[in-house]
Amino acid sequence: MRVNAEFITSVAQLDQLPREQWPEIALVGRSNVGKSSMINTLVGKQDLARTSNTPGRTQTLNYYKITPDEGRSKPFYIVDMPGYGFAAVNQRKRADWSKLIEQYLRMRSVVCGIIQLIDMRHPPQPLDHMMSEWLQGNDFNYLVVGTKADKVAKTKVPETLLKIAESLNTDSRDTLAFSAETKLGREKLWQWMVNAVALEGRILNF
Ligand code: GTP
Ligand code: MG
């Protein structure tokens, strides 16, 4: 898909959320799972979102405005989140981030889809389970994306995804594999986002 993508703002407190409201798609997942890399791969710009080998890189809600089809379709936001589960970030900061994420997800009514990223090299961790249960319990439009698929043997990708879906107790049809290296899953992911936005548009009459 051809899109125009621009960085809009970083939000450290909820009173800084953008006033201009478009449907929002939020990316959640452990630190270092590949959230920021996913944005760069989706939009085809390697340095739009800051990525790092050092977990804990993203410390605010970062808003990217996506305008598909060179302006013929309505824009939406992709929101990059701080990762959870990173021990070396101090306790206080971690508590601040999780509060920010939870409050954001609770109060921001324009969230039309949430993508939870799971590193395909490892089974889901306790914090992934907690997040998944909470999202499913709150009836979000929810997709699980297995990241770093390039690190898993090609033939093992489908069964690895299935195991992740089983472990998180989600429908395996709501999962897909992604790689920022090979761009696997890029078009399917766009499709899911555009559908989520269209669904929201029909409900809210955007
Ligand atoms: P935080 O901001 O700390 O929450 O991390 P993040 O989830 O945004 O992860 P980020 O995109 O910064 O990526 C973390 C590391 O994983 C970087 O070194 C990336 O290059 C690497 N990485 C991300 N996606 C992939 C992928 O699909 N394949 C491989 N092989 N490496 C990846
Ligand atoms: Mg990041």
Side-chain angles (χ1 to χ4, degrees):
M1 194 170 87
R2 286 178 71 92
V3 300
N4 188 34
E6 56 181 320
F7 171 72
I8 299 294
T9 187
S10 286
V11 172
Q13 291 164 212
L14 290 178
D15 56 7
Q16 300 167 343
L17 287 169
R19 274 162 212 258
E20 194 192 24
Q21 299 214 344
W22 297 109
E24 295 180 10
I25 293 184
L27 306 186
V28 300
R30 292 178 69 79
S31 211
N32 216 40
V33 68
K35 298 176 293 298
S36 301
S37 303
M38 175 182 275
I39 292 178
N40 289 338
T41 300
L42 279 169
V43 305
K45 290 185 189 170
Q46 273 328 296
D47 51 2
L48 187 65
R50 285 179 72 191
T51 65
S52 168
N53 258 326
T54 319
R57 160 54 63 204
T58 308
Q59 309 203 349
T60 45
L61 307 182
N62 294 335
Y63 273 73
Y64 298 90
K65 186 174 181 181
I66 307 295
T67 313
D69 304 331
E70 284 147 358
R72 283 189 294 277
S73 300
K74 291 271 170 68
F76 60 93
Y77 292 123
I78 297 178
V79 186
D80 192 9
M81 304 267 202
Y84 49 76
F86 176 49
V89 174
N90 76 44
Q91 198 87 34
R92 167 114 192 254
K93 230 177 184 175
R94 265 194 287 163
D96 284 350
W97 293 355
S98 48
K99 213 164 84 199
L100 180 68
I101 293 171
E102 189 182 338
Q103 284 177 345
Y104 161 81
L105 292 175
R106 276 190 197 285
M107 69 163 283
R108 193 73 163 164
S109 58
V110 282
V111 176
C112 66
I114 298 180
I115 299 175
Q116 183 178 22
L117 287 75
I118 305 284
D119 190 328
M120 289 187 79
R121 296 173 302 177
H122 314 290
Q125 310 283 304
L127 284 171
D128 293 322
H129 282 109
M130 274 175 61
M131 177 58 88
S132 177
E133 273 167 34
W134 188 77
L135 293 172
Q136 293 184 66
N138 283 279
D139 272 341
F140 284 105
N141 181 17
Y142 170 58
L143 178 73
V144 173
V145 172
T147 62
K148 310 194 184 183
D150 54 283
K151 296 284 192 192
V152 176
K154 254 191 187 152
T155 51
K156 297 267 182 205
V157 166
E159 71 185 76
T160 309
L161 266 186
L162 201 61
K163 276 191 192 143
I164 291 173
E166 276 170 9
S167 166
L168 295 179
N169 216 1
T170 62
D171 192 325
S172 61
R173 284 170 298 187
D174 297 330
T175 56
L176 60 89
F178 187 85
S179 166
E181 295 285 320
T182 67
K183 302 186 172 50
L184 174 78
R186 187 172 175 265
E187 289 310 310
K188 281 189 185 161
L189 194 51
W190 273 130
Q191 241 165 45
W192 187 87
M193 290 189 182
V194 166
N195 281 340
V197 170
L199 203 64
E200 174 85 357
R202 279 201 290 283
I203 296 165
L204 293 183
N205 216 3
F206 267 110

